[in-house]
Amino acid sequence: MKLRLESPNLRKQVDMSDEALPKEVQELISRYVHSVAQLEALLFFHKRPDERCSAESLATRLYAGRAEMTDALASLGKDGFLSSENGLYTFAPRPELRPVVDMLANAYSRHLIPITHIIHSKPRRVQAFSDAFRIRKE
C-alpha cells in the first residue's frame, strides 16, 4: 500500500509495506505493554532519560487518568523499564531491554496502527473485561 503525503511544504511518498514491525518490538509489546498509557509513558521516559516525574504529573502531561498512569508506571517499574525514588520515576531499563525500547521508539511513528492493535487485541484484556461482568458470591 502506498501512502502519498502532500502539503505545500512536503512532497513525500512512503511505501508502508516495505518495512515490517520488528519481531523484537512485537514481543516487547506483547509481553510488557498492556495499555496505550503505558506505551506513551515508556516512550516519554525514553525520549527524556534524565527527567523524573510522578504518576500525577505524567498523567497530566500525557492526558491520562491518574489511576491508570499510577498502574502503568508501577508495571513498567516492576518489569525493569523504570526506577522510582520518593514517588518519582525515571528511565532505567535493564540492559537487555534498552535496545528493544530504542527499536520501539524508532518504529512507533511508522507503525502506530500495528502497535496499538497488538495492545488492544491481547486476550487478557478481553478476559479482564468479561470478568467484570461475572456474578460472584460474597
Side-chain angles (χ1 to χ4, degrees):
M1 170 169 103
K2 299 237 187 233
L3 175 64
R4 187 160 193 87
L5 304 171
E6 291 193 34
S7 75
N9 299 324
L10 172 69
R11 295 199 188 281
K12 183 177 182 181
Q13 187 169 344
V14 178
D15 188 348
M16 295 174 67
S17 64
D18 283 351
E19 188 179 339
L21 184 62
K23 185 173 179 78
E24 298 89 347
V25 171
Q26 292 177 36
E27 291 172 1
L28 178 100
I29 296 165
S30 294
R31 184 169 181 188
Y32 297 111
V33 181
H34 309 297
S35 69
V36 173
Q38 193 176 24
L39 172 66
E40 292 290 338
L42 179 58
L43 294 173
F44 173 90
F45 283 111
H46 175 267
K47 188 173 183 176
R48 300 164 187 83
D50 298 324
E51 192 157 341
R52 299 174 56 176
C53 283
S54 68
E56 185 173 349
S57 68
L58 192 59
T60 300
R61 290 174 82 168
L62 297 180
Y63 304 101
R66 186 170 49 181
E68 180 182 26
M69 189 57 65
T70 298
D71 291 345
L73 295 179
S75 182
L76 289 169
K78 176 182 67 77
D79 291 334
F81 294 96
L82 305 178
S83 66
S84 107
E85 186 177 322
N86 298 322
L88 296 176
Y89 290 86
T90 192
F91 190 61
R94 295 189 320 249
E96 69 273 15
L97 294 174
R98 183 178 289 273
V100 186
V101 176
D102 292 342
M103 291 171 67
L104 170 62
N106 187 39
Y108 185 60
S109 64
R110 294 186 316 278
H111 299 287
L112 174 65
I113 293 171
I115 288 171
T116 56
H117 179 72
I118 293 169
I119 294 168
H120 293 300
S121 65
K122 289 184 178 190
R124 70 186 132 225
R125 291 178 57 89
V126 172
Q127 184 63 48
F129 178 76
S130 67
D131 285 349
F133 296 96
R134 183 172 280 163
I135 298 174
R136 296 182 179 93
K137 289 185 179 182
E138 292 191 31

